[in-house]
Amino acid sequence: MTERTTAVDAEEVRHVASLARVDLADDEVGRFAEQFEDILTYFERLDEVPEVDHDADLTNVMRPDEPRECLETDAALENAADTEDGFFKGPNVS
Amino acid sequence: MTAQTVQRGDLVTVIGLEVHVQLETETKIFCGCPTAQTDEPNTNVCPVCLGLPGALPVLNETAVEAAVKIGKAIDASIPEETRFHRKNYYYPDLPKNFQITQYDEPICQDGELEIAVEGERRTITIERAHLEEDPGSLQHVGGGGGIDTAEYTLVNYNRAGVPLMEIVTAPDFRTAAEARAFLAELEEVLEYLGVFDAGRDGSLRVDANLSIVDGEEVDDEGRIGTEALEAANRTEVKNISSHKGAEKALAYEETRQRNAIQRGRVVEQETRHWDESRGITVSMRSKEAEKDYRYFREADLPPLRVSHWKDEIPIPELPTARRERFREEYALGEEAASKLTSTKQVADFYEDVAREFDPDLAATWVADELLGELNYRDLEITDVAGRLDAVHRLIELVDGDEITAKNAREVVLRGMLDDGDDPDEIVEREGLGKTGADEVEQAVLEAIEENPEAVADHEAGEAGAINFLVGQVMAKTGGSADPGDVNGLLREELE
């Protein structure tokens, strides 16, 4: 098992948050840095799991180009926080 | 620009293209929702293309076939094994927060396409071409409708999951005109393959990279070293949606960068948005760097092993080859050959008529008359696909000398296109049929028999008598005989 040498720093947390379009308050950054650190440590434990054979080789799984029934628009929009005239409605994005 | 013309101190423009084309399939790439365009939002959607939890993608075989055909047409290699990846970014056009695409194992690698610009042929390297899903479409509403000023966003996922092929060229273009020529050639090839419909809204979208390097970096074969390319700051121009748009956007961007360099300024490495209505590129907020996309393998889609499909799937003769063959086989000029191979439908129709009638006459009728009249009406040959038998018949009438070319063009063809009538109907209705020789001859004999006085006058040397007889024949044939011919026939009979 390899030891993690670099700790997760605040800048990294802010970068990941910005990629996910999440605003973090300053006091949250430290808390998430610790949690990221924990998560990465858990993942490192996977290195201890012995390698196993791959699943049977599955290749070329395809379907014919034939239409299937779609969802009704109402059903498609059912979970949306906001809608307008059949569209999903969200805040301005740029 | 060729290597010979590059001087020390010259600035050379370097352009590479990323072309996104929608593939013509019935259904989306990973689900069975139709790809047909519709005005009703969110009707062609299902749990897969809406990214609902637990929904699993299943690959559309026809999309893979289309990718293999494209690979074959651009002479690319199809690797033994190819697979899909997730490209992660957060934007509402992607309901899953990732796009299924191909990262380091694309289905087509190392291809090329030949273009001709002002008579000069160039081979453009195509680094890769890969399959991916189209995102949904956004409408920015309120605040003038601008991306930055809009009040809110409306999202329609009908387009989400339409199969796309992204075709990436090497930075081989030196002018905006070359980039445009490439797009035109590519579009022709894709249409010949039957995998693309240029008439479909938004079916072609282009991102272009442009930088300016010193002429000294260009070697004798016109190539530029990787180091020099990497050292030059480039801009990525997005939102180009046509050949013409590409040429305009790149010409603008080229001038903007050259001006900056000549004024001693540094060109920023950035993404710019082509604003078609204003004819300028504008700086966009910086987007993610490649590593920020956190590409990883799409575990829900097993790898593809389809390299052998390249031998199994046939593709038609491609435009360049067909153009050459037309020139040889039908003795056509360059312009005619080029017009007649502009789309597969035109070329097929031309061959259909050229085999049966005089190839020259067929060329005039297809390239000039038919395409000219269609163009005038803003129609494509595909819009009159069901009428081509009628056009075939019209050419037969002209070839058989049954109607005059003038009538065929000005009355019959126009009537066919404007009113949907059949050529024979129009000929009959308008009395355009040239009267057959037998009928004229018959009328000549009758006129002689019925007018012994005029015959006698003619034999007595009266000059006007023959004109009277011509008039009689013309009346009998309803004016459709040629007066000169009639005159000749009468003289023969009376000798």
Side-chain angles (χ1 to χ4, degrees):
Chain A
M1 179 180 163
T2 50
E3 285 297 325
R4 285 182 49 74
T5 48
T6 49
V8 175
D9 63 23
E11 200 188 332
E12 229 169 331
V13 171
R14 287 204 176 87
H15 180 63
V16 171
S18 79
L19 292 177
R21 310 282 184 257
V22 173
D23 268 335
L24 289 185
D26 285 348
D27 63 322
E28 289 173 307
V29 172
R31 188 149 54 87
F32 276 101
E34 273 171 38
Q35 291 184 4
F36 280 16
E37 189 70 41
D38 288 345
I39 292 166
L40 290 171
T41 308
Y42 292 142
F43 268 90
E44 270 161 11
R45 292 179 63 180
L46 290 176
D47 290 345
E48 292 168 47
V49 177
E51 293 242 4
V52 289
D53 286 342
H54 286 288
D55 287 340
D57 277 343
L58 206 56
T59 55
N60 294 359
V61 179
M62 285 175 262
R63 61 179 174 83
D65 185 23
E66 287 159 11
R68 291 179 63 176
E69 211 170 314
C70 298
L71 285 176
E72 296 289 334
T73 305
D74 286 349
L77 298 175
E78 207 178 321
N79 295 327
D82 201 358
T83 65
E84 184 176 302
D85 300 332
F87 290 92
F88 291 86
K89 185 175 175 181
N92 170 37
V93 282
S94 62
Chain B
M1 194 176 287
T2 58
Q4 288 73 29
T5 60
V6 176
Q7 304 289 317
R8 223 183 145 76
D10 271 357
L11 295 176
V12 175
T13 303
V14 181
I15 299 167
L17 298 178
E18 287 173 21
V19 189
H20 297 83
V21 290
Q22 285 184 339
L23 299 176
E24 273 291 287
T25 53
E26 291 295 315
T27 66
K28 294 183 178 181
I29 184 166
F30 299 123
C31 62
C33 292
T35 54
Q37 286 182 320
T38 157
D39 291 336
E40 294 296 313
N42 296 305
T43 44
N44 294 340
V45 291
C46 75
V48 174
C49 56
L50 287 174
L52 299 187
L56 287 173
V58 187
L59 187 57
N60 181 342
E61 187 167 17
T62 302
V64 180
E65 280 171 8
V68 171
K69 284 181 189 169
I70 293 173
K72 222 169 147 169
I74 60 172
D75 200 17
S77 61
I78 312 281
E80 204 50 46
E81 186 165 290
T82 167
R83 63 173 76 234
F84 289 89
H85 295 80
R86 293 184 179 186
K87 177 183 183 178
N88 298 278
Y89 65 89
Y90 283 57
Y91 201 64
D93 59 1
L94 282 185
K96 304 189 290 294
N97 288 334
F98 61 84
Q99 178 190 31
I100 303 179
T101 179
Q102 300 192 283
Y103 183 49
D104 50 2
E105 293 163 285
I107 189 161
C108 300
Q109 299 174 12
D110 303 320
E112 59 181 43
L113 190 68
E114 195 181 82
I115 58 165
V117 183
E118 286 165 17
E120 197 184 326
R121 292 202 173 179
R122 294 207 46 210
T123 300
I124 302 300
T125 298
I126 293 171
E127 291 180 345
R128 57 180 285 159
H130 68 255
L131 282 165
E132 61 184 27
E133 57 181 340
D134 210 348
S137 34
L138 304 184
Q139 281 177 32
H140 307 280
V141 185
I147 269 191
D148 293 323
T149 54
E151 285 161 27
Y152 59 95
T153 308
L154 294 181
V155 192
N156 175 2
Y157 291 117
N158 283 343
R159 199 183 68 183
V162 168
L164 286 185
M165 194 85 182
E166 179 176 330
I167 298 160
V168 183
T169 77
D172 283 353
F173 306 100
R174 299 290 170 266
T175 65
E178 285 179 0
R180 180 180 181 168
F182 173 85
L183 292 172
E185 182 68 32
L186 178 67
E187 215 175 77
E188 263 184 40
V189 168
L190 296 175
E191 290 212 291
Y192 264 64
L193 295 174
V195 301
F196 175 72
D197 175 8
R200 192 180 155 102
D201 230 15
S203 59
L204 175 101
R205 278 163 278 152
V206 183
D207 298 339
N209 286 292
L210 188 145
S211 60
I212 309 282
V213 301
D214 197 294
E216 282 178 43
E217 308 288 351
V218 183
D219 71 14
D220 290 344
E221 275 154 36
R223 284 190 299 249
I224 298 166
T226 329
E227 265 179 46
L229 285 177
E230 275 169 15
N233 271 0
R234 64 175 178 274
T235 55
E236 183 176 7
V237 183
K238 290 189 163 283
N239 194 41
I240 300 170
S241 56
S242 68
H243 315 167
K244 212 164 93 189
E247 187 171 10
K248 285 201 299 204
L250 290 167
Y252 175 88
E253 187 56 19
E254 180 179 26
T255 307
R256 191 189 68 83
Q257 288 195 19
R258 281 175 182 255
N259 286 345
I261 290 166
Q262 272 152 9
R263 286 177 194 150
R265 293 199 207 120
V266 175
V267 174
E268 295 280 336
Q269 178 131 341
E270 61 178 352
T271 303
R272 298 180 69 87
H273 180 91
W274 167 241
D275 186 329
E276 177 100 47
S277 59
R278 290 196 288 166
I280 58 170
T281 64
V282 286
S283 183
M284 278 170 81
R285 210 181 60 178
S286 67
K287 56 170 207 153
E288 279 88 349
E290 180 164 295
K291 72 173 170 56
D292 292 335
Y293 287 125
R294 293 153 293 159
Y295 283 98
F296 60 86
R297 283 183 175 183
E298 171 53 276
D300 290 341
L301 290 164
L304 279 178
R305 300 180 74 91
V306 293
S307 61
H308 59 286
W309 285 16
K310 213 179 161 185
D311 303 319
E312 291 163 12
I313 300 177
I315 60 168
E317 186 181 28
L318 295 172
T320 308
R322 202 162 192 188
R323 213 165 289 148
E324 298 289 312
R325 182 169 63 76
F326 273 23
R327 294 192 62 179
E328 279 182 24
E329 195 171 332
Y330 304 109
L332 298 176
E334 193 168 341
E335 201 193 328
S338 169
K339 267 192 193 174
L340 290 170
T341 51
S342 58
T343 73
K344 186 170 181 295
Q345 288 78 8
V346 170
D348 286 348
F349 180 61
Y350 171 70
E351 288 219 85
D352 183 34
V353 285
R355 285 198 180 113
E356 206 169 326
F357 312 114
D358 172 34
D360 253 354
L361 179 90
T364 305
W365 271 87
V366 179
D368 300 336
E369 312 300 3
L370 177 62
L371 293 185
E373 293 293 330
L374 287 175
N375 188 38
Y376 179 72
R377 288 164 180 74
D378 220 4
L379 293 173
E380 302 284 336
I381 194 158
T382 42
D383 296 322
V384 294
R387 307 274 299 138
L388 291 178
D389 282 348
V391 180
H392 185 278
R393 170 66 183 149
L394 175 62
I395 297 173
E396 187 176 26
L397 290 172
V398 181
D399 187 65
D401 217 17
E402 290 178 58
I403 52 173
T404 65
K406 187 167 183 285
N407 281 337
R409 178 174 60 241
E410 291 175 6
V411 185
V412 187
L413 182 57
R414 290 177 192 172
M416 285 164 57
L417 294 174
D418 291 336
D419 309 318
D421 293 341
D422 276 329
D424 289 291
E425 251 171 55
I426 302 173
V427 170
E428 171 84 33
R429 190 178 64 221
E430 307 287 334
L432 301 175
K434 278 193 190 169
T435 309
D438 289 355
E439 205 180 316
V440 177
E441 218 150 302
Q442 184 63 35
V444 166
L445 294 176
E446 279 175 24
I448 290 170
E449 180 142 358
E450 288 165 14
N451 299 285
E453 285 168 33
V455 173
D457 287 349
H458 173 74
E459 279 164 357
E462 201 174 307
I466 192 99
N467 291 339
F468 172 79
L469 289 168
V470 170
Q472 295 300 304
V473 176
M474 293 306 288
K476 284 177 186 293
T477 58
S480 64
D482 184 289
D485 293 348
V486 172
N487 195 307
L489 283 170
L490 279 166
R491 285 178 192 280
E492 270 174 41
E493 286 299 326
L494 294 172
E495 256 166 32

